Amino acid sequence: MTALYPVSDLYGFADLLTDAETAKLRSLRELLETQLAPILPDFWERAASPVHLREPLRDLRLVDDPALLGSDGRTRELYNGFRAFEFSRTDISTGMLFHGQTAMFRELVRQGGSDEQVAAWDDAIVSFEMTGCFALTEPDHGSDVAGGLATTARREGEEWILDGAKRWIGNAAFSEFVGVFARDVADGQVKVFLARTDDPGMTLTTIERKAALRLITNSDISLEGVRVPESHRLQRVSSFADVSALFRTLRPDIAWIAAGAQAGAYEAALRYTLSREQFGRPIAGFQLVQDKLVRMLGNVTASLGMVVRLAERRQAGVSRDEDSALAKVWLSDRLRETVAWAREVVGGNGIVIDNDVARFFTDAEAVYTYEGTREINTLIVGRAVTGLSAFTR
């Protein structure tokens, strides 16, 4: 059988997948190539989100096919990573449209919810009958959100009243629920509440004129006296330490996204240089172009080596903040390099969306920043290796 990524996976890391996992990823690729790729330039130009693809993506059963599930009822970490990789080879935003629901929102409920809440909601989340996202970042608090979270929650009987503001909330415009992180005024601890997007007092405003991730809709959210029942407070989140545990689970996914975007940019650049002729022959035959292609492939290969090993360790139950933080830092740097070289070898045509590399070039800037900036993740790793915290209060 043909290798899953014959162009960008030189060392065959994807060979570690099972036959069922490989087949599932091939079916995902077919959908992305036939239903997403042809509309990407137009949707990017209009900053429109391909929400209509949620249904066919759901029908692929990418997260709940019994053939993919282990004895614990979960898919393998390696498969989860390559699923994000596959999405990101084509478009990061569409991957976020899917994984924001089936990974981020689902894991928020799975880890933060009580057994009863998980039992009541998990199947509905997988089927997209219950759509959601989570809202942590605020207009004035990003990197300092652990201590600076300003959104408040005040309990009145069996209800909580939420007040505050959130920013950069992806998928909120297409979600029924928002997982709002808020500080309990009674004990000062962070808790999470599933508030409905149509609740009185909640206002969503689309963030316009983005240069990156244009196919994902991000919203500003205003919360003014939004009432949420106690039954919709996630029962296992009672402090920011619980929130940190959640991000320990999610941050490696961003590293896989960075790896996939590198592969997509490299493959687009290779296609272009093989077809583009100057001086009577394809530019892929020129030494300086081949130098950049090899540098790109080296970055993709090294990145895959890191995330594959990270997935293996997570599968074995090893999950440390510094592991995921190092992967986020290092792969984000490599992503910036790779997309820049891809843009270079495509030349002036590299700024035209139809040639793909421009999308990867701009999207890389968003990946570089979200889920922890380079600086914050660097300090997490630095603290682990030295035993000394360089964080300031």
Side-chain angles (χ1 to χ4, degrees), residues 263-326:
Y266 165 69
E267 291 173 15
L270 181 61
R271 285 195 302 270
Y272 181 88
T273 58
L274 287 169
S275 64
R276 172 70 167 171
E277 292 192 358
Q278 292 285 279
F279 306 103
R281 60 182 175 136
I283 64 173
F286 294 119
Q287 292 178 354
L288 294 179
V289 172
Q290 289 190 0
D291 173 70
K292 291 185 176 67
L293 290 172
V294 171
R295 290 179 185 226
M296 284 186 263
L297 180 58
N299 274 356
V300 174
T301 304
S303 295
L304 274 171
M306 179 174 276
V307 292
V308 165
R309 182 57 182 150
L310 184 62
E312 291 173 339
R313 286 170 62 80
R314 291 180 68 197
Q315 191 70 45
V318 179
S319 181
R320 304 178 302 180
D321 288 334
E322 59 266 30
D323 295 339
S324 55
L326 180 61

Side-chain angles (χ1 to χ4, degrees), residues 193-248:
F193 307 85
L194 299 192
R196 298 183 64 94
T197 52
D198 59 357
D199 278 339
M202 182 180 292
T203 304
L204 277 63
T205 305
T206 298
I207 298 174
E208 305 283 358
R209 296 186 287 276
K210 292 191 303 173
L213 301 179
R214 288 176 58 80
L215 273 71
I216 195 73
T217 300
N218 294 90
S219 299
D220 282 321
I221 298 180
S222 172
L223 302 137
E224 297 181 3
V226 176
R227 291 182 173 270
V228 179
E230 164 66 10
S231 61
H232 278 65
R233 178 180 68 83
L234 297 185
Q235 302 296 309
R236 288 179 178 159
V237 180
S238 57
S239 70
F240 203 84
D242 297 324
V243 177
S244 296
L246 173 67
F247 279 97
R248 192 177 301 123

Side-chain angles (χ1 to χ4, degrees), residues 153-171:
R154 176 169 49 87
R155 185 164 184 172
E156 285 190 358
E158 289 303 303
E159 287 187 321
W160 292 83
I161 301 174
L162 307 182
D163 289 285
K166 299 294 181 179
R167 183 163 173 79
W168 295 115
I169 310 308
N171 288 342

Side-chain angles (χ1 to χ4, degrees), residues 71 109 124 144 209 271 334 360 376:
S71 58
V109 172
D144 71 340
R209 296 186 287 276
R271 285 195 302 270
R334 302 292 77 73
F360 292 114
I376 293 296

